Amino acid sequence: MASSVISSEDEYEELQSRRFDDGYSLSADVSESESSTSSTSTFSSDPRLASTTVTSSPLELASNSEFLAPPQVMLPVVGGRHVIIPAKKPERDKPEALELSETELMKERFAKLLLGEDMSGGGRGVCTALAISNAITNLAATVFGELWKLEPLAPQKKSMWQREMDWLLCVSDSIVELIPSVQEFPGGGTFEVMMTQQRSDLYVNLPALKKLDAMLISILDGFRDTEFYYVDRGIGVANGEHIEANPCSPFSRRPSISLEEKWWLPFPKVPPNGLSEETRKRLQQCRECTNQIFKAAVAINSSVLSEMEVPQVYLESLPKSEKACLGEFLHRYITADQFSPDYILDYLDLSSEYTTLEIANRIESAVHFWRLKCQKKKLNRAKTGSWSGTVKGLGGDIEKSKLFANRADTLLTNLKLYFPGLPQTALDMNKIQFNKDVGQSILESYSRVMESLAFNLMARIDDLLHVDDATRRRVAAGAISMLSRRGSTGSHALQKQKFVQGHSRSKTLVHR
């Protein structure tokens, strides 16, 4: 037992000498803090002992110990090491952390684009053009959703939309073309060089889309402190305020969904006497402005889609005959001697969006079938040569194919004019899916998002104006019924007064 004690004392002295031989400085620990304590007091189980030990000075500890004073450390001591925890995090670290998070988010977005939405890295991702189109579409769906209320965007959503759209659109800065430019020598004279400029379609359409984007955001920001508000549809129906849906017009895309069948959507509420004239006038101005934005976005989207190459997959999926593309009715009227697109549209079943889209797909497939047929006949004509006896027949077939293709194209154009908000056809979806041009993909997805946002905004304004019209009609009907009741009451009182006067006169005559 004694030997073990002696050995432990020898080991302790060896550790002390080794610590001081390593260059340990006591003055450094003492100068750090005067309110520090030793490790033994830190882990003491007696609170009184701990308190007295903490408040005791270093000189008293040195006088009571037969060894040198123990090193002074900062509380707490973890694992025998000096740990210093600041009382408060410096304010200068917050912007750096925020910037770091945005940087990491940007890296994640671009990594997803480069990998074609396949974050596993297995090589099963889509092409970059489709990936950036999906990114813009998903971002718009996250920020705007279905836009069931006329209210400003939340600040977080607005900043997210602006920040991430800047990231996605910066890709277009690298899509350039060479244009000639004249520069001057320092000593005089000029020379022509080729300079890079953003591709012409991006250079023209992208600033316009950014302007439309800013206008739609400003229109939404204008709906602050409004006279109207929104409640759950169950509350509106329980209060006896059921409003009939807007009638479906043949010139509109579809009736107002929120007032027709979506019973769980918010219901617009207006004051008891309806909106003020100033608010109603402002709503109508917003709708007209939004309608112009919608038309501009549709025009840009249609132009970009028309410039996209028709994918080979779509051409291979076409039916084997024009009659199979169109059907009996459409084929008979398009190939007839007399052709009138308005007459055909009057006889078509355009009662629903589904049937209208199906007819548009049929007409569009017939257009490309005839054009493809015309190209094949031109190739056959070039192979046979001008001396062949079948040249006249081939020429007549080519002219007929061109004529029928132009007729079908005219019919499709008129159909889209009647239904300006018609959804994308099968050809449009194939073009978007198999497109390889990143610039066209950016323009198409951005314009499509602006078109959808403008249409939803117009629909919400129409809903509100429809509710206001119904409220005004209800107030007017109540006022008319009240006046009629007052008029009937007054006439009844007048008749009673005349009866009393006549009765009194008869009594006077009898008395006489």
Side-chain angles (χ1 to χ4, degrees):
M1 186 71 178
S3 61
S4 63
V5 173
I6 293 172
S7 61
S8 63
E9 291 177 357
D10 294 337
E11 290 175 359
Y12 182 76
E13 290 177 358
E14 184 180 357
L15 289 173
Q16 290 288 342
S17 62
R18 188 180 300 172
R19 186 178 67 177
F20 289 114
D21 289 338
D22 291 338
Y24 181 81
S25 177
L26 179 64
S27 59
D29 286 335
V30 174
S31 62
E32 285 181 359
S33 176
E34 294 182 357
S35 62
S36 58
T37 183
S38 64
S39 61
T40 56
S41 64
T42 305
F43 295 99
S44 175
S45 59
D46 190 356
R48 293 176 296 176
L49 180 61
S51 62
T52 56
T53 309
V54 171
T55 55
S56 60
S57 64
L59 296 176
E60 293 176 352
L61 291 173
S63 62
N64 293 334
S65 176
E66 57 182 300
F67 298 100
L68 292 177
Q72 307 294 322
V73 296
M74 295 291 294
L75 283 176
V77 177
V78 180
R81 299 179 62 89
H82 304 281
V83 179
I84 301 175
I85 302 176
K88 188 177 181 181
K89 189 175 181 180
E91 294 293 333
R92 58 183 177 85
D93 293 337
K94 292 184 179 180
E96 294 178 0
L98 181 61
E99 183 179 357
L100 181 62
S101 64
E102 290 186 1
T103 304
E104 294 297 329
L105 183 61
M106 182 177 63
K107 289 180 180 179
E108 180 183 353
R109 292 289 184 269
F110 279 101
K112 192 173 182 180
L113 291 179
L114 291 174
L115 294 174
E117 301 178 353
D118 181 19
M119 300 302 289
S120 64
R124 295 185 299 271
V126 299
C127 65
T128 306
L130 183 57
I132 199 169
S133 176
N134 293 339
I136 294 176
T137 304
N138 295 334
L139 177 62
T142 302
V143 174
F144 301 109
E146 292 293 337
L147 194 68
W148 296 121
K149 292 183 180 181
L150 293 176
E151 60 183 6
L153 284 177
Q156 297 83 0
K157 288 189 174 182
K158 186 191 297 186
S159 62
M160 180 175 70
W161 169 256
Q162 295 173 350
R163 179 180 65 247
E164 298 196 18
M165 279 302 296
D166 289 340
W167 295 346
L168 295 173
L169 295 180
C170 73
V171 180
S172 63
D173 296 336
S174 302
I175 305 174
V176 296
E177 60 185 1
L178 294 175
I179 59 172
S181 176
V182 177
Q183 295 186 0
E184 295 182 357
F185 284 110
T190 60
F191 64 100
E192 188 178 83
V193 297
M194 301 299 290
M195 299 189 64
T196 59
Q197 180 182 324
Q198 197 174 30
R199 206 172 66 186
S200 57
D201 57 343
L202 295 169
Y203 185 77
V204 172
N205 293 322
L206 202 55
L209 289 173
K210 290 181 180 179
K211 183 66 175 178
L212 298 180
D213 186 358
M215 292 172 67
L216 289 175
I217 296 295
S218 64
I219 291 175
L220 285 176
D221 288 340
F223 293 107
R224 299 179 185 272
D225 302 328
T226 56
E227 299 178 5
F228 56 90
Y229 58 97
Y230 291 85
V231 298
D232 292 337
R233 180 162 297 276
I235 297 176
V237 174
N239 294 334
E241 298 180 359
H242 178 70
I243 306 287
E244 294 294 333
N246 289 330
C248 181
S249 171
F251 299 96
S252 63
R253 177 177 179 178
R254 49 172 148 354
S256 180
I257 299 177
S258 65
L259 291 177
E260 183 177 345
E261 55 187 8
K262 303 292 186 179
W263 54 267
W264 60 88
L265 298 177
F267 187 83
K269 291 272 292 182
V270 297
N273 294 327
L275 298 172
S276 62
E277 292 298 331
E278 181 181 359
T279 303
R280 188 174 177 86
K281 182 179 179 181
R282 179 172 169 272
L283 284 173
Q284 292 173 348
Q285 292 175 351
C286 289
R287 195 200 182 284
E288 292 176 1
C289 180
T290 308
N291 189 26
Q292 297 301 320
I293 295 174
F294 173 76
K295 291 180 179 179
V298 169
I300 295 175
N301 188 264
S302 301
S303 175
V304 174
L305 284 173
S306 63
E307 293 176 358
M308 286 184 180
E309 184 181 356
V310 179
Q312 190 65 28
V313 177
Y314 177 79
L315 296 177
E316 293 175 355
S317 65
L318 292 176
K320 301 303 180 182
S321 65
E322 58 268 23
K323 188 175 291 186
C325 293
L326 293 170
E328 183 67 29
F329 177 80
L330 285 174
H331 180 264
R332 183 172 68 252
Y333 280 96
I334 290 178
T335 58
D337 295 335
Q338 301 294 329
F339 172 74
S340 174
D342 295 332
Y343 178 80
I344 296 176
L345 289 177
D346 290 338
Y347 278 88
L348 290 176
D349 181 16
L350 306 177
S351 58
S352 66
E353 186 179 273
Y354 176 79
T355 57
T356 305
L357 184 60
E358 180 65 23
I359 292 172
N361 286 329
R362 286 178 173 272
I363 299 173
E364 199 166 41
S365 64
V367 171
H368 290 280
F369 177 84
W370 273 313
R371 288 177 179 173
L372 187 62
K373 187 177 179 180
C374 184
Q375 292 177 1
K376 290 180 179 179
K377 289 182 178 180
K378 283 183 178 180
L379 292 176
N380 294 333
R381 181 178 179 179
K383 290 179 180 179
T384 54
S386 59
W387 53 268
S388 176
T390 59
V391 171
K392 294 183 179 180
L394 289 174
D397 291 340
I398 290 173
E399 294 300 326
K400 282 185 179 181
S401 297
K402 285 183 179 180
L403 176 63
F404 296 156
N406 291 333
R407 285 182 176 183
D409 197 9
T410 303
L411 181 61
L412 182 62
T413 302
N414 289 4
L415 181 63
K416 289 184 176 180
L417 288 177
Y418 280 132
F419 295 89
L422 194 68
Q424 292 173 339
T425 60
L427 177 60
D428 295 339
M429 290 188 288
N430 275 274
K431 284 183 176 181
I432 295 171
Q433 183 178 358
F434 296 100
N435 176 45
K436 305 296 182 182
D437 193 314
V438 177
Q440 289 180 344
S441 180
I442 291 175
L443 291 178
E444 191 281 327
S445 56
Y446 199 8
S447 60
R448 174 163 40 87
V449 164
M450 292 296 101
E451 174 186 344
S452 177
L453 178 59
F455 179 81
N456 289 333
L457 184 55
M458 283 194 299
R460 301 292 77 77
I461 295 176
D462 289 340
D463 290 346
L464 183 59
L465 292 175
H466 180 66
V467 171
D468 182 58
D469 291 337
T471 304
R472 288 170 178 253
R473 287 195 299 267
R474 187 167 58 247
V475 171
I480 292 173
S481 62
M482 186 178 297
L483 289 176
S484 63
R485 285 197 300 269
R486 287 181 179 178
S488 62
T489 305
S491 62
H492 179 69
L494 182 60
Q495 291 178 359
K496 185 176 180 180
Q497 184 178 2
K498 290 181 179 180
F499 176 77
V500 170
Q501 291 178 355
H503 186 64
S504 60
R505 287 180 181 177
S506 63
K507 280 186 176 180
T508 305
L509 293 174
V510 170
H511 181 71
R512 286 180 181 180

